[in-house]
Amino acid sequence: MPRELLLQVTPEIAANESLLKDYLSKQIKVSPQEIQHITILKRSIDARQKAIKINLKVIIYLKGEAFQETKIELPVYKDVSSAQEVIVVGAGPAGLFAALQLIELGLKPIVIERGKDVRGRRRDLKAINREHIVNEDSNYCFGEGGAGTYSDGKLYTRSKKRGDVTRILELLVAFGASEDILVEAHPHIGTNKLPKIIEDIRNKIIEFGGQVLFDTRVTDILVKNNEVEGIVTQNGDKILANKLILATGHSARDIFELLDKKKILIEAKPFALGVRAEHSQELIDSIQYSCDYRGEHLPPAPYSIVKQVNGRGMYSFCMCPGGVIAPCATSPGEVVTNGWSPSKRDQATANSGIVIELKLEDFKPFAKFGALAGVEFQKSIEQKAWHLAGRTQKVPAQRMIDFTQNKVSADIPKTSYVPGTTSVEMGQVFPGFLSQILREGFKEFGKSMRGYLTNEAILHAPESRTSSPVRIPRDAYTLEHLQIKGLYPCGEGAGYAGGIISAAIDGEKCALMIAESLK
Ligand SMILES: Cc1cc2nc3c(=O)[nH]c(=O)nc-3n(C[C@H](O)[C@H](O)[C@H](O)COP(=O)(O)OP(=O)(O)OC[C@H]3O[C@@H](n4cnc5c(N)ncnc54)[C@H](O)[C@@H]3O)c2cc1C
């Protein structure tokens, strides 16, 4: 019978099939020739000791034992061109996975996306990076694939439902992602590989009778007697259907404002906010792997750090090893940072959001905006950063130790943030209590990760789109909006996801509940 084994090996053995075979043959006392196949089920790095180990979970098939290569296939989709229509607003992970699930369930999705297709989007990303021009419909957050398309493509989630997570990972593999994502403890895809996967998902939706409309912004939701009737687009066109999945992401402020204006229930929600820190990847490797040189068998090291400072959680967020800091504004007149990495994570720099959890009471100065208080708080910081850095997409920046000492940096070396930096005292970007926590927090981080607190590290501000500043309340079981029948608030923008995988899971769940409601 095939044997399942948990083992710890050196990075070199883990990276080389023949060395691994030799190692395992000794472990199970057979000759290497007797081993027919080794399947790796899980792989993770144990960097707690100086000698770094790779944890593997494997199945060993000896000659004569039944072994079959398994190919991950797409589900059986039905042609839905003449089926009942469901409007899906937003082609991010939530919207796209909702659309696929609807097709699987025999319903026709009409996906409406304000931005361009993945290829068209590239031109607008170039414009924001090189010319400081922000297209309000096509940027790092808006466009086909949503905020996750030009990202690091990290695929881990806090979701405890392994079945749901595995299903999304397998779908991504069926759409062309590497099978490694099923094995790695911390899988990621990378900015260069995501667009093709997204494009293939869209083509599948269209092949089976769904519709995908780009350059189409929803400007109104038609509601009669507290029931959805359809939507209106920026051209005044109406699309009618009485089931609507609203998956517009954390940056769709016009949608939050529309709901608020129409008195469709939304509520303010705390989120996290801070800066994006950049170190050299070499430094992070040396801290995390306790070595001068990472070697060829270990990946660029990530880090994850959490501290309690003045009663608030301060933590690393969306860390991108070997990555680049991106300008993620969605409107002119604001500056926003986030990060991405290519699949090989081979850039010389490592960046991470370092953010502080906010509380509803922090939005008090904006209380007059009611449910939009968090949105206005967020806007005020992004706009202040824009003013401070020179009213372009240049970002306020400061060396890390200088920041902890309230000292404007004499110079800022070139960072991965393409539009450029302006040296400012970063404390000016944030309310005083937040700057104070960040200052204390970086000192604490430096105690846990020796070498992290250095003036070679550059802070960029703000990192402000960590999750939605609004929740759109829905029934916990039916997932339907608490007040409007047929409206399914979905994904990160509605407050039910935080990342690619959890947004995709939520998209599927909304589709399932719509099918359920139609039975
Ligand atoms: C640069 C960057 C890097 C990231 N890296 C990672 C990562 O490595 N791993 C991870 O898990 N998460 C990452 N994230 C977060 C992740 O992208 C989001 O959590 C996820 O995309 C949320 O999915 P969603 O479908 O709910 O919303 P979104 O992806 O935000 O999609 C919403 C879509 O709705 C569209 N839309 C908005 N308003 C309208 C309207 N009025 N009409 C029509 N369409 C509209 C938008 O254009 C957008 O395409 C990153 C985000 C950014 C910006």
Side-chain angles (χ1 to χ4, degrees), residues 11-27:
E12 193 186 359
I13 292 178
N16 182 312
E17 215 177 307
S18 138
L19 291 180
L20 182 63
K21 199 178 223 187
D22 286 347
Y23 178 90
L24 286 172
S25 70
K26 286 185 194 126
Q27 293 290 306

Side-chain angles (χ1 to χ4, degrees), residues 5-7 9 14 20 40 42-43 54-58:
L5 228 64
L6 287 171
L7 58 147
V9 293
L20 182 63
I40 296 178
K42 279 279 157 227
R43 183 167 37 221
I54 307 294
N55 297 321
L56 293 177
K57 185 177 181 187
V58 299

Side-chain angles (χ1 to χ4, degrees), residues 364-413:
K364 256 192 198 144
F366 300 90
K368 69 172 182 201
F369 295 98
L372 298 175
V375 177
E376 293 301 322
F377 175 90
Q378 189 184 47
K379 258 192 215 172
S380 72
I381 286 174
E382 294 169 358
Q383 289 170 356
K384 202 180 288 169
W386 182 77
H387 279 285
L388 280 170
R391 303 156 81 89
T392 61
Q393 282 304 305
K394 278 192 173 183
V395 67
Q398 196 168 12
R399 290 178 181 266
M400 192 183 277
I401 293 181
D402 289 346
F403 172 65
T404 62
Q405 296 174 350
N406 260 351
K407 202 168 86 186
V408 177
S409 301
D411 67 331
I412 303 286

Side-chain angles (χ1 to χ4, degrees), residues 89-95 112-115 140-143 145-148 150-154 216-218 247-250 252 254-255 318 328 338-339 491-493 498-501 503:
V89 190
I112 303 176
E113 169 56 53
R114 72 194 293 161
Y140 277 95
C141 294
F142 295 161
Y150 294 96
S151 77
D152 182 40
K154 279 178 281 295
T216 309
R217 190 184 340 115
V218 168
T248 43
H250 56 34
D254 43 4
I255 288 290
C318 189
C328 292
N338 205 312
E492 183 153 28
I500 296 167
I501 292 288

Side-chain angles (χ1 to χ4, degrees), residues 249-251 253 256 267-271 360 363 371-376 378 464-465 467-471 492-493:
H250 56 34
S251 291
R253 289 175 177 161
F256 300 144
E267 41 195 51
K269 172 185 145 301
F271 57 101
L360 285 179
F363 307 153
L372 298 175
V375 177
E376 293 301 322
Q378 189 184 47
S464 48
R465 308 279 176 98
S467 71
S468 183
V470 159
R471 177 173 289 106
E492 183 153 28

